[in-house]
Amino acid sequence: MSAAIDAIRSRRVVAILRRIPDPERVVRALREGGIAIVEITLDSDGALETIARLRDDPELVVLAGTVRTAREAEAAVQAGARACVGPALVPEVLEACRKLGVPAIPGALSPTEVETARQLGAAMVKLFPATLFGPTYVRDLRGPIPDVPLLVTGGVDASNAGAFLQAGAAAVGVGSALVAADDVAAAARDLVGSARDA
């Protein structure tokens, strides 16, 4: 297993930065609040440049998000992304990540998609959108498919992160509820506390 996946599983919280101004300021606030895994989505302005600027921080794990094509995966890894996260299950992205030697975390929702992702070599599966069915669905899914670590995203915040983790999620991904908060560092501390208590 890769260091990036190990970090996600041990830290249990991924901050998702999508189209936000001044991402490096937000990353500093996240770090202050105890979050050191960030996903920079490729649909953000200057995403590859942001990944490249953040890549050399030894205490930060930088992921590329919204990776939908093999070409995007290649560009993200070249910029310094340690894993590629996608909104959907795209076999060519998983194959590109395998060749590049980085973990692929494709998006999935149904049991069939989760199992297919595992068979195609996904290191972890992004369960999205999580709030469509809630923590009970995570628990139900983990029953027959316990060996696929799930990164649960989509509508996750400090009020429900703990429930998703208690239901069996390996980690949660949190976007606007975290990075658009008035006090990002305080929101990060709340979320880390919820994850720790789960």
Side-chain angles (χ1 to χ4, degrees):
M1 191 172 294
S2 79
I5 298 299
D6 286 344
I8 294 169
R9 295 186 75 158
S10 64
R11 299 285 185 101
R12 306 191 83 189
V13 177
V14 176
I16 302 168
L17 283 68
R18 182 184 304 280
R19 297 192 290 268
I20 62 167
D22 199 357
E24 283 142 302
R25 178 191 61 79
V26 173
V27 169
R28 286 193 297 272
L30 291 167
R31 292 283 304 280
E32 183 184 333
I35 294 177
I37 304 173
V38 297
E39 175 187 324
I40 308 298
T41 67
L42 295 189
D43 57 353
S44 303
D45 290 339
L48 295 174
E49 292 81 3
T50 300
I51 291 169
R53 287 193 298 270
L54 296 172
R55 70 186 291 175
D56 293 327
D57 184 334
E59 296 182 16
L60 192 66
V61 178
V62 183
L63 317 175
T66 317
V67 179
R68 299 172 60 198
T69 67
R71 181 171 293 178
E72 288 176 344
E74 291 162 5
V77 172
Q78 187 171 20
R82 307 241 327 253
C84 292
V85 185
L89 177 57
V90 181
E92 71 171 35
V93 172
L94 275 83
E95 177 62 15
C97 288
R98 187 188 64 74
K99 289 179 179 176
L100 293 161
V102 299
I105 307 173
L109 184 60
S110 72
T112 298
E113 291 171 336
V114 172
E115 179 62 23
T116 301
R118 183 192 69 79
Q119 292 183 14
L120 290 173
M124 177 175 270
V125 172
K126 170 181 169 175
L127 193 68
F128 172 80
T131 53
L132 187 63
F133 299 121
T136 301
Y137 180 64
V138 173
R139 184 175 296 109
D140 291 346
L141 191 59
R142 296 277 299 152
I145 312 176
D147 57 333
V148 179
L150 300 175
L151 171 61
V152 174
T153 70
V156 179
D157 57 27
S159 73
N160 60 18
F164 279 112
L165 292 167
Q166 288 172 359
V172 292
V174 185
S176 58
L178 175 60
V179 300
D182 291 335
D183 187 335
V184 173
R189 280 190 289 272
D190 287 345
L191 192 59
V192 169
S194 297
R196 189 184 311 115
D197 295 339

